[in-house]
Amino acid sequence: MATMKDVAEAAGISIGTVDRIIHNRGRYSEETAELVRKSMKELNYTPNIHARGLKQTKKHIFSVVLPHREQDGGYWRLVEEGILKAADELISFGNDIRIFPFDRYSSSSCIDALSGALSTDTEGMLIAPCRPDDMRALLEHTNIPYIFIDTNIPDLKRRTAYIGQDSRQSGILAGKLMSLLIARNASTGQDQYVLVVDPPGSNFHLNNRIEGFRYYMDAVMPEIGLMTLKAEADDELHFHRRLKEFQTKNHLLPIGIFAANSSVYYIASFLEKEGDECSSIPLIGYDIIPGRESAVERGTIDFILTQQPEIQGYRGIIMLYDHIVLKKEVNKEVIMPLNIITRENIHTFTGYVNG
Amino acid sequence: MATMKDVAEAAGISIGTVDRIIHNRGRYSEETAELVRKSMKELNYTPNIHARGLKQTKKHIFSVVLPHREQDGGYWRLVEEGILKAADELISFGNDIRIFPFDRYSSSSCIDALSGALSTDTEGMLIAPCRPDDMRALLEHTNIPYIFIDTNIPDLKRRTAYIGQDSRQSGILAGKLMSLLIARNASTGQDQYVLVVDPPGSNFHLNNRIEGFRYYMDAVMPEIGLMTLKAEADDELHFHRRLKEFQTKNHLLPIGIFAANSSVYYIASFLEKEGDECSSIPLIGYDIIPGRESAVERGTIDFILTQQPEIQGYRGIIMLYDHIVLKKEVNKEVIMPLNIITRENIHTFTGYVNG
DNA sequence: ATTTTTTGCGTTATCGATAACGCAATATTA
DNA sequence: TAATATTGCGTTATCGATAACGCAAAAAAT
């Protein structure tokens, strides 16, 4: 509860000098600085956040660089929602948060978005570097601090922080849940297999999830085969068509289906259309998509895994603000908890927790 | 970004009057009030939280009334940890949070704690009313605002909020997970049963959890019997003794064990002592107890359900502060998300999320 | 009719950090 | 040596909300 005035008095120096020392704002001697730092320690001085916030009328500008909301099955929409929620809170303090969306399948779009963000008077950036190679060069030559969200580029050590998920582990978890779901039916017949649905596009996390799932299934249920269905378009009808094709080609139904992202909802609607025999097939996927929870509530989808992308987005912005404006220490790496959602607990997850 | 001065000017009135109207601090006419309210709406005025915080040098005092940390298998320690974390943040703003612990098995201790809290100059209370009948009378006659945590007293409508858990639903979820775990072994023999461990003491949530579990198991696996073991002391050795007794009396091992609280860790240590045949029995319980995660990591405990009591405590205090000091609107009812923890995701839950 | 109380409103010091401004004293350059 | 630049430090207005203080005018009580 010591004020700057207290520190100044204890050091036998003026407030102005103390302030200059704290903020390293030139024009002071190292001697007095030492003295002041000692007094600060002794009095356990912490700046009053309110006084600071009040004085700082300066409007802070932050930029967000992430894929279009519709991409990856609406995943980015969820992230963006959390970002907007945090932005809302910060805007009311006179700050500005600018979003630079890009097409995650286009190199030029990605580069444009990032250079757009860089060319403004941004003080910090929240970046989803899902095209690391397009972004690396630009990020190596900037002094603007940035936080990575969702994907990390480990070799860019100048990042302030990374907030994301352990996607391989989530695949392993999906494998475990699948093994429980199919335990009852397994080994009652020959040629049993689990269908792995690989969503369109290539994506670090998707690959990791699938790899983790495979790893677990091969280790625990080696007798169950895994078949992969690669989708080419992020579109409900496309999924239905591909599934139908698959069904006619393979007359034997899978004993379980794993979808590596929110396309699980497309699969659910297909299975429900096909009748009870299909909709009772164990089905695991990712992310709670607002408005589509009913497939979980009905039990067509058995488990949904999520790392709450909204909260990821929300916390990303708050971390940026904490770091740059409040000058707080922030965690270098935040891994989101891996939640298991099922019909019995989904209602406790809709709507925000925290924030 | 409108200030109070802007509002005053727009309404053709002084700042002092605007302030009086906002805070309902007597001495103004309803006419001008109407005018001011209109200007506030028009200018979309939001008070500057920093200016407010800066001016408010007044030290706020809050009280917390909850059971001793050791009770209910260490559950309250977790709640208290979250409370202390929030308190820490608030104390640095010059506030004071006082904890009044009580013995949840003693009526007089409970009454003493609550009247202790009430007799101070507390501005708000966070209360765990796990002895509703002892607390009701006192709470009906106070004007100090309070928030209930963990347990609710629905008929006390004057509460500011309730933050807690849906315990019956968590029992149902436990039932679902149990049914998956035992699916493989079920119906291979006669007289199969699941053991339900009822921890010492009578507790609203414990009863609900067990009731929910029973409900699910009876509905989905009626052929599996449920046997109950009632423990009398919250003590690891006591549990081991009772389990040993049970084992000698019933030569047939259970095909699954459900413990309605964190005593699941006592059961895990017993099963591990008894060898592989025992430690592979499906086991479900509650709460992550710091330092005892290894039983989950080894897989002796298959699933842990938790509603993150630390976060409950943390949020309870923050809600109190938001309501009383910042005069924010707070949710009347906050139900914590129901998390499923298993060896594949426990590492993402240790340590705080949010805060 | 006079005194007292109440009501309505304006003015202003204050909270703590910040950064602009100003003034010496010292150092550097011409 | 004189002119200029740099360094070190003190003083003070400012951010916006708050609440104490003061002063009239109106209302109530005597």
Side-chain angles (χ1 to χ4, degrees):
Chain A
M1 283 288 78
T3 72
M4 212 155 105
K5 204 173 152 195
D6 297 334
V7 173
E9 271 167 24
I13 220 83
S14 77
I15 301 189
T17 306
V18 174
D19 180 65
R20 258 168 253 140
I21 290 164
I22 290 176
H23 292 279
N24 211 28
R25 198 181 307 115
R27 312 274 281 277
Y28 60 86
S29 72
E30 201 39 50
E31 270 174 280
T32 31
E34 209 47 59
L35 211 67
V36 164
R37 277 193 274 267
K38 208 173 122 248
S39 305
M40 274 173 41
K41 280 255 165 70
E42 264 167 25
L43 296 179
N44 194 20
Y45 167 77
T46 28
N48 183 314
I49 214 105
H50 292 310
R52 187 174 272 179
L54 179 59
K55 191 69 217 312
Q56 295 270 20
T57 50
K58 196 175 100 192
K59 147 174 164 165
H60 295 276
I61 301 175
F62 301 110
S63 298
V64 177
V65 182
L66 85 174
H68 288 300
R69 333 179 215 300
E70 312 81 34
Q71 300 195 314
D72 285 318
Y75 176 81
W76 298 105
R77 180 189 305 283
L78 299 177
V79 176
E80 200 190 86
E81 256 166 47
I83 288 172
L84 292 176
K85 184 168 193 292
D88 227 48
E89 291 175 17
L90 297 185
I91 282 166
S92 68
F93 280 103
N95 301 293
D96 194 7
I97 283 94
R98 299 173 182 164
I99 299 190
F100 295 82
F102 64 88
D103 175 358
R104 65 176 261 88
Y105 302 114
S106 154
S107 175
S108 66
S109 165
C110 173
I111 291 172
D112 284 356
L114 183 55
S115 29
L118 284 166
S119 69
T120 61
D121 41 2
T122 281
E123 290 166 73
M125 303 182 290
L126 183 66
I127 302 174
C130 50
R131 298 186 68 87
D133 295 334
D134 291 332
M135 294 184 156
R136 189 177 280 110
L138 283 165
L139 289 176
E140 271 166 355
H141 294 98
T142 181
N143 287 316
I144 302 172
Y146 52 83
I147 292 180
F148 285 143
I149 184 167
D150 191 74
T151 311
N152 195 9
I153 308 184
D155 51 298
L156 288 181
K157 307 263 189 237
R158 288 213 18 266
R159 69 176 180 278
T160 300
Y162 161 59
I163 175 166
Q165 54 182 284
D166 186 344
S167 39
R168 181 166 187 276
Q169 192 63 27
S170 83
I172 290 179
L173 180 57
K176 183 208 183 105
L177 295 172
M178 183 61 81
S179 74
L180 290 176
L181 287 168
I182 65 180
R184 193 182 332 229
N185 305 324
S187 76
T188 58
Q190 299 297 315
D191 300 324
Q192 288 185 327
Y193 70 97
V194 164
L195 179 63
V196 175
V197 178
D198 189 359
S202 174
N203 174 313
F204 179 76
H205 289 311
L206 293 185
N207 296 343
N208 280 342
R209 288 169 178 175
I210 293 174
E211 203 275 309
F213 184 78
R214 288 211 123 85
Y215 168 81
Y216 188 94
M217 292 300 288
D218 287 348
V220 173
M221 294 191 144
E223 73 281 8
I224 305 288
L226 292 179
M227 293 190 67
T228 300
L229 176 63
K230 175 78 189 171
E232 266 102 38
D234 184 7
D235 172 283
E236 188 150 14
L237 283 175
H238 171 80
F239 272 81
H240 285 196
R241 196 152 6 94
R242 293 302 306 281
L243 287 164
K244 194 78 197 168
E245 265 170 50
F246 184 90
Q247 204 181 12
T248 45
K249 207 154 42 179
N250 307 270
H251 59 285
L252 186 68
L253 286 173
I255 60 167
I257 305 179
F258 171 62
N261 74 356
S262 58
S263 63
V264 65
Y265 293 97
Y266 303 157
I267 299 170
S269 61
F270 176 80
L271 296 180
E272 285 177 0
K273 221 172 50 183
E274 295 293 307
D276 280 356
E277 200 196 353
C278 280
S279 57
S280 65
I281 296 174
L283 177 58
I284 296 177
Y286 283 84
D287 294 321
I288 299 178
I289 304 290
R292 303 207 68 156
E293 298 92 344
S294 64
V296 180
E297 283 159 5
R298 278 191 299 273
T300 307
I301 298 176
D302 291 274
F303 287 110
I304 284 286
L305 303 185
T306 170
Q307 307 214 317
Q308 288 160 292
E310 313 90 330
I311 295 183
Q312 243 175 97
Y314 179 84
R315 296 199 69 200
I317 293 289
I318 298 295
M319 278 171 78
L320 205 54
Y321 183 81
D322 280 355
H323 176 66
I324 292 173
V325 181
L326 304 185
K327 281 152 193 163
K328 277 194 206 166
E329 285 259 346
V330 299
N331 279 342
K332 267 263 158 199
E333 190 160 309
V334 176
I335 300 298
M336 293 295 296
L338 185 45
N339 285 299
I340 304 172
I341 313 288
T342 179
R343 68 196 299 182
E344 284 82 11
N345 70 348
I346 187 168
H347 66 284
T348 70
F349 279 88
T350 47
Y352 269 102
V353 188
N354 285 290
Chain B
M1 284 290 78
T3 73
M4 213 155 105
K5 201 173 156 196
D6 297 335
V7 173
E9 270 166 25
I13 220 84
S14 78
I15 301 189
T17 307
V18 173
D19 180 65
R20 259 169 253 139
I21 290 164
I22 290 176
H23 291 279
N24 210 28
R25 197 179 309 114
R27 314 275 280 276
Y28 61 85
S29 72
E30 201 38 53
E31 270 174 279
T32 32
E34 208 48 59
L35 211 68
V36 165
R37 276 193 274 267
K38 209 172 121 247
S39 305
M40 273 173 39
K41 280 255 166 68
E42 266 167 23
L43 296 178
N44 192 20
Y45 167 77
T46 28
N48 183 315
I49 214 105
H50 293 310
R52 189 174 271 181
L54 179 58
K55 191 68 219 309
Q56 297 270 18
T57 52
K58 196 174 99 192
K59 147 173 165 164
H60 295 276
I61 301 175
F62 302 110
S63 298
V64 177
V65 182
L66 86 174
H68 286 302
R69 342 177 209 299
E70 312 79 33
Q71 299 196 313
D72 285 319
Y75 175 82
W76 298 105
R77 181 189 303 283
L78 301 177
V79 176
E80 200 189 87
E81 256 166 47
I83 288 172
L84 291 177
K85 184 169 192 289
D88 226 48
E89 291 175 17
L90 298 184
I91 282 168
S92 67
F93 280 103
N95 302 292
D96 193 6
I97 283 94
R98 299 173 182 164
I99 300 191
F100 295 83
F102 64 89
D103 175 359
R104 66 178 256 84
Y105 302 115
S106 155
S107 175
S108 65
S109 165
C110 174
I111 291 172
D112 284 356
L114 183 54
S115 28
L118 284 165
S119 69
T120 62
D121 41 1
T122 282
E123 289 166 74
M125 301 182 291
L126 183 66
I127 302 175
C130 50
R131 299 186 67 86
D133 295 334
D134 291 331
M135 293 183 157
R136 191 177 279 109
L138 284 165
L139 290 176
E140 271 166 356
H141 294 98
T142 181
N143 287 315
I144 302 173
Y146 51 84
I147 293 180
F148 284 143
I149 183 165
D150 192 73
T151 311
N152 196 8
I153 308 183
D155 52 298
L156 288 182
K157 306 262 189 241
R158 288 211 19 264
R159 69 177 179 278
T160 300
Y162 161 60
I163 175 166
Q165 53 181 288
D166 186 344
S167 38
R168 181 167 187 274
Q169 192 64 27
S170 83
I172 291 179
L173 180 58
K176 184 210 183 101
L177 296 172
M178 182 60 79
S179 73
L180 290 175
L181 286 169
I182 65 180
R184 194 184 328 230
N185 305 323
S187 76
T188 58
Q190 300 297 315
D191 302 323
Q192 289 184 327
Y193 70 96
V194 164
L195 179 63
V196 174
V197 178
D198 189 358
S202 174
N203 173 312
F204 179 77
H205 288 311
L206 293 183
N207 296 343
N208 280 342
R209 287 168 178 177
I210 292 174
E211 204 275 307
F213 184 77
R214 288 211 123 84
Y215 168 83
Y216 188 94
M217 292 301 288
D218 288 347
V220 173
M221 293 190 145
E223 72 281 8
I224 304 288
L226 293 179
M227 295 190 65
T228 301
L229 176 63
K230 175 77 188 172
E232 266 102 40
D234 184 7
D235 172 284
E236 187 149 16
L237 283 175
H238 171 82
F239 272 81
H240 285 196
R241 198 154 2 99
R242 293 300 310 277
L243 287 164
K244 195 76 197 172
E245 264 171 49
F246 184 91
Q247 204 181 13
T248 46
K249 204 152 48 182
N250 306 271
H251 59 286
L252 188 67
L253 287 173
I255 60 166
I257 305 178
F258 171 62
N261 74 356
S262 59
S263 62
V264 65
Y265 293 97
Y266 303 157
I267 298 169
S269 62
F270 176 81
L271 297 180
E272 286 177 356
K273 221 171 50 179
E274 294 294 305
D276 281 356
E277 199 196 351
C278 280
S279 57
S280 66
I281 297 174
L283 176 58
I284 298 177
Y286 284 84
D287 293 323
I288 299 178
I289 304 292
R292 304 207 67 157
E293 299 93 345
S294 65
V296 180
E297 283 159 5
R298 279 191 299 272
T300 307
I301 298 177
D302 290 273
F303 287 109
I304 285 285
L305 304 185
T306 170
Q307 306 213 315
Q308 288 160 292
E310 312 90 328
I311 295 183
Q312 244 174 96
Y314 180 83
R315 295 198 71 199
I317 294 289
I318 298 295
M319 278 170 80
L320 205 54
Y321 183 80
D322 281 355
H323 176 66
I324 292 173
V325 181
L326 305 185
K327 280 152 193 162
K328 278 194 205 166
E329 286 258 347
V330 298
N331 281 340
K332 267 262 158 200
E333 191 161 307
V334 176
I335 300 298
M336 293 297 295
L338 185 45
N339 286 298
I340 304 172
I341 314 288
T342 180
R343 69 196 296 181
E344 284 82 11
N345 69 348
I346 187 167
H347 66 285
T348 70
F349 280 87
T350 46
Y352 269 101
V353 189
N354 283 290

